[in-house]
Amino acid sequence: MDYSFSLVNLRRIWDIQTRKGNYLFSLFPELEESYKLYKSERDGLRAVIREGGLDQETYNRTRKKLGEIKREAEKLISEYLTATSLEIVSDMEEDIFSWCLELGSEVGGRQTYRLGEGPKFFFVDKQMQRNLQSVMPRRQNSRSQIISSLVAVIDNDMPKVVVRTDVKDFYGSIDHSIISAMIADSKLNPLSKKLIDKLLHEYSEITGSRRGLPVGVGLSSKLSELFISHVDRSLQEAEDVLYYARYVDDIVVVFSANDANPRSKEDFFNVIREKLSEIGLEANDKKEFFRELDDSNSFSSFEFLGYSISYSGRVKVKMSSRRVRRIKDRIDRSLKAWSVAEKNGANHAKRKLLIDRLKFLTGNTKLFNNKRNALVGVYFTNSHLTDFKDLQGLDKYLDYCLSRFEVPEDLRGKISKLSFEEGFQKRSFYNFSATQLRRIVGVWHEQEEN
């Protein structure tokens, strides 16, 4: 594993983030201006080729020009990344690097933090995440993988107990002495260990506490995963555990119900509490759920990772109430944004934007410029559903909102063709550019953060 901040590693970060659709040119204002000129010339040449009618010589000359433009753009990127790499390496060699950690905004009542401005902080954070990931005991399963496994374990009549909880103030409870000891015992190189110590020190200087991680800093997520990995191993190996999963701070454990050694509800919760307490963490008793499958062969629903799961002879998977509320809220915000624009005499583009937003909600799409083929949407976000009543309810809610916001008949006719249930069943697919996606989700994210 190459832990360094070399040009090769910075370029790897650049390529990965770009494939995810993240726009990194804004890190380098001068490079951004050059890239805009390159993009404009490239798009113009591509348009010429698409129009056709070129003789072979002109076509070859145009293609050659495109190649030259691309190589020039790549050269510029390499030059800026090289300069950033040299700056980082110099800071490390002279031992003058600081994360420049400072207070950010409050989000959802929680204080966030941010690193210093500039590309070097971005790339150091990303490379350190990669370094730490390389020594992690396991890679966390995705939401989809967890739900798939959980449903498979539940979907039978075997006596069992399902316990769900979360970690109380997860980030804020992480003891620096414990996480520092874990880092010291890891296979990380000395520089990576030192950089983590610096981040913890800067956080302590701001907060006056030796507990907690800075929310909003990417590296904090990896540090929290390393910290709680001890609990993961312990609970997976605990007595009578059929299945254990954790997603960030949400925990679910399925225990076998052993008639020869009956246990109370508190006994099952105590298994989790004791493991968490070993590293100074607490379970959140306000978010504890207990379900038992006994002689009745059924248990009422519990919510986990966006789904509501119950059992009565067979497993039933619905959307969680929170997910339904979020989608309804996004329908409201989309129509409200359109309504305000309509009253202000906005042009036809606002109507198209409304339709695009509702297509995004009722259909599916591929994240722009993502080579991992990441698919999102009503099906791909809810693929484990076995009960479609929530989708039918969302269709009714959309129809109700069209009346509430007095959408004109011509526009309503176009929107009425969109359906949550049909988008799920038929996996309706829509293509959006990166610019379109930013405009589509902007009205939701801006308001959800406030």
Side-chain angles (χ1 to χ4, degrees):
M1 170 71 188
D2 179 6
Y3 295 109
S4 74
F5 301 95
S6 64
L7 171 60
V8 172
N9 281 340
L10 266 58
R11 183 65 207 222
R12 179 187 291 110
I13 293 168
W14 177 280
D15 291 340
I16 290 172
Q17 294 301 311
T18 302
R19 285 198 297 268
K20 289 180 178 179
N22 296 327
Y23 185 78
L24 300 188
F25 288 97
S26 57
L27 291 171
F28 305 100
E30 293 179 5
L31 175 60
E32 184 175 29
E33 289 302 312
S34 298
Y35 176 74
K36 287 178 180 178
L37 292 173
Y38 147 74
K39 188 174 182 296
S40 175
E41 189 172 2
R42 181 200 66 187
D43 291 346
L45 290 172
R46 285 179 174 177
V48 170
I49 291 174
R50 281 197 303 271
E51 289 172 4
L54 300 178
D55 58 61
Q56 191 62 44
E57 183 180 350
T58 304
Y59 174 82
N60 291 340
R61 190 166 56 248
T62 305
R63 294 292 302 180
K64 182 180 179 181
K65 181 63 176 176
L66 269 175
E68 292 171 353
I69 291 173
K70 183 177 181 179
R71 285 190 293 274
E72 185 61 30
E74 289 295 315
K75 181 181 176 182
L76 275 174
I77 293 171
S78 291
E79 288 175 358
Y80 278 89
L81 292 180
T82 297
T84 303
S85 173
L86 291 173
E87 181 184 5
I88 295 170
V89 170
S90 175
D91 283 1
M92 301 302 174
E93 289 177 347
E94 296 178 27
D95 196 20
I96 61 172
F97 178 81
S98 167
W99 291 96
C100 296
L101 187 70
E102 60 184 15
L103 294 174
S105 59
E106 282 197 16
V107 178
R110 291 200 305 170
Q111 178 65 57
T112 67
Y113 298 80
R114 58 173 177 257
L115 302 178
E117 293 184 3
K120 75 175 179 181
F121 300 102
F122 173 84
F123 285 103
V124 171
D125 180 42
K126 291 297 182 184
Q127 182 61 37
M128 282 299 300
Q129 290 182 54
R130 183 169 180 268
N131 293 354
L132 193 52
Q133 182 65 55
S134 72
V135 300
M136 298 281 279
R138 59 184 285 269
R139 182 178 290 274
Q140 188 177 59
N141 288 334
S142 68
R143 286 172 175 261
S144 183
Q145 290 169 327
I146 290 172
I147 293 298
S148 178
S149 298
L150 179 60
V151 167
V153 171
I154 290 174
D155 198 12
N156 58 69
D157 292 338
M158 176 181 170
K160 61 179 71 69
V161 168
V162 181
V163 176
R164 187 223 150 169
T165 187
D166 71 11
V167 181
K168 184 178 180 180
D169 189 21
F170 183 25
Y171 270 32
S173 301
I174 292 176
D175 189 308
H176 288 192
S177 62
I178 298 177
I179 188 66
S180 293
M182 291 178 174
I183 294 298
D185 290 340
S186 74
K187 295 181 179 179
L188 280 172
N189 68 326
L191 177 57
S192 293
K193 293 177 181 180
K194 188 172 185 177
L195 288 172
I196 291 171
D197 285 341
K198 280 178 177 284
L199 179 64
L200 296 177
H201 177 73
E202 290 185 33
Y203 177 79
S204 295
E205 287 287 302
I206 293 173
T207 64
S209 172
R210 289 280 295 163
R211 297 181 75 89
L213 296 175
V215 175
V217 174
L219 184 55
S220 294
S221 174
K222 298 297 182 185
L223 288 169
S224 68
E225 284 296 310
L226 177 65
F227 187 79
I228 203 171
S229 60
H230 166 78
V231 174
D232 293 336
R233 292 192 299 271
S234 296
L235 283 173
Q236 285 167 344
E237 298 167 1
E239 184 180 3
D240 294 329
V241 169
L242 296 173
Y243 180 69
Y244 163 81
R246 177 187 56 80
Y247 191 83
V248 189
D249 59 355
D250 282 326
I251 292 173
V252 66
V253 186
V254 182
F255 295 90
S256 61
N258 190 341
D259 291 337
N261 182 28
R263 290 193 277 182
S264 68
K265 173 182 175 181
E266 282 302 299
D267 289 336
F268 288 110
F269 277 116
N270 282 337
V271 173
I272 300 173
R273 292 168 185 154
E274 289 171 7
K275 299 300 183 184
L276 289 172
S277 68
E278 291 176 2
I279 54 173
L281 299 178
E282 293 181 49
N284 187 348
D285 57 10
K286 294 181 179 180
K287 293 187 178 181
E288 290 181 341
F289 295 90
F290 178 88
R291 300 291 183 268
E292 183 173 10
L293 181 65
D294 49 25
D295 295 337
S296 67
N297 280 339
S298 66
F299 60 73
S300 57
S301 64
F302 69 95
E303 296 193 347
F304 190 62
L305 300 186
Y307 291 95
S308 173
I309 303 170
S310 60
Y311 184 83
S312 182
R314 63 183 180 84
V315 73
K316 179 186 287 187
V317 184
K318 300 173 63 179
M319 298 170 73
S320 70
S321 56
R322 182 179 180 182
R323 182 168 287 178
V324 172
R325 286 196 304 270
R326 174 175 287 186
I327 294 173
K328 286 182 175 179
D329 187 53
R330 290 182 172 185
I331 292 172
D332 287 341
R333 290 177 176 179
S334 298
L335 283 160
K336 184 178 179 180
W338 163 81
S339 180
V340 170
E342 188 81 356
K343 289 175 182 178
N344 291 335
N347 59 28
H348 177 74
K350 294 297 180 182
R351 292 191 171 196
K352 183 180 184 306
L353 182 56
L354 171 62
I355 293 173
D356 283 346
R357 284 180 173 140
L358 296 177
K359 281 182 176 179
F360 184 90
L361 291 175
T362 60
N364 304 278
T365 190
K366 177 182 175 183
L367 292 182
F368 178 79
N369 203 20
N370 191 300
K371 291 189 177 180
R372 294 183 180 180
N373 296 315
L375 301 171
V376 297
V378 68
Y379 173 79
F380 293 100
T381 305
N382 305 284
S383 60
H384 299 286
L385 292 182
T386 63
D387 185 298
F388 306 133
K389 289 181 181 177
D390 290 323
L391 297 173
Q392 295 162 1
L394 287 170
D395 281 335
K396 291 178 181 178
Y397 185 77
L398 175 57
D399 189 58
Y400 158 73
C401 287
L402 296 180
S403 297
R404 180 159 63 95
F405 283 91
E406 300 179 348
V407 176
E409 284 301 318
D410 60 330
L411 181 56
R412 184 168 183 165
K414 295 177 181 178
I415 295 174
S416 63
K417 296 176 183 178
L418 305 176
S419 162
F420 286 93
E421 185 177 19
E422 187 174 298
F424 181 93
Q425 298 280 23
K426 295 184 178 180
R427 304 186 194 182
S428 304
F429 200 89
Y430 303 103
N431 291 312
F432 301 107
S433 68
T435 300
Q436 286 177 306
L437 285 174
R438 283 194 290 271
R439 295 190 68 198
I440 286 170
V441 305
V443 71
W444 307 326
H445 291 174
E446 288 171 7
Q447 296 175 44
E448 285 170 358
E449 290 176 359
N450 295 330

